[in-house]
Amino acid sequence: MQQEVDQYISQFKEGYFSPLAMVARLTEELGELAREINHYYGEKPKKESEDEKTIEEELGDLQFVIMCLANSLNIDLEEAHNRVMHKFNTRDKDRWTKK
């Protein structure tokens, strides 16, 4: 997925935004996800004038920006994932009650 995002971004002269700009964009996208979650599961229903978006779409937007940020910093997200899972499977292995 990171390679596909990189190929997409590489076709534009502007390239990746700065890391700080991408963190701002992550914050914006996270706010949009929070709004969708609130519409479906919270106490704030959507106005009739608001566009229909989905939680899936907002998660995809977040994922895209995370991949852009990782690519711009030369971070392999699969490797990052493996490190996090190792941490959860070792340090946090007895933290929660297992089924």
Side-chain angles (χ1 to χ4, degrees), residues 84-85 87-99:
V84 168
M85 291 310 298
K87 177 176 61 178
F88 287 134
N89 287 318
T90 56
R91 184 192 74 186
D92 296 336
K93 67 181 172 59
D94 297 319
R95 191 171 189 172
W96 294 282
T97 307
K98 293 187 178 175
K99 293 182 182 180

Side-chain angles (χ1 to χ4, degrees), residues 20-96:
L20 186 57
M22 283 191 269
V23 169
R25 184 145 178 243
L26 273 174
T27 303
E28 177 186 342
E29 296 296 349
L30 183 58
E32 291 176 11
L33 174 62
R35 186 173 179 86
E36 287 302 304
I37 296 285
N38 195 20
H39 290 316
Y40 286 101
Y41 302 105
E43 291 75 39
K44 187 178 180 187
K46 246 180 210 221
K47 297 176 187 173
E48 288 184 24
S49 61
E50 288 183 284
D51 289 342
E52 184 65 31
K53 291 189 178 180
T54 65
I55 293 169
E56 180 180 17
E57 181 181 348
E58 297 306 335
L59 283 170
D61 288 346
L62 266 172
Q63 185 178 28
F64 179 83
V65 178
I66 287 169
M67 284 187 274
C68 286
L69 179 59
N71 285 350
S72 75
L73 298 173
N74 295 314
I75 293 171
D76 181 331
L77 287 174
E78 185 173 4
E79 185 178 315
H81 167 79
N82 291 340
R83 286 182 185 187
V84 168
M85 291 310 298
H86 176 74
K87 177 176 61 178
F88 287 134
N89 287 318
T90 56
R91 184 192 74 186
D92 296 336
K93 67 181 172 59
D94 297 319
R95 191 171 189 172
W96 294 282

Side-chain angles (χ1 to χ4, degrees), residues 12-24:
F12 303 109
K13 190 179 355 176
E14 294 81 4
Y16 290 105
F17 295 139
S18 71
L20 186 57
M22 283 191 269
V23 169

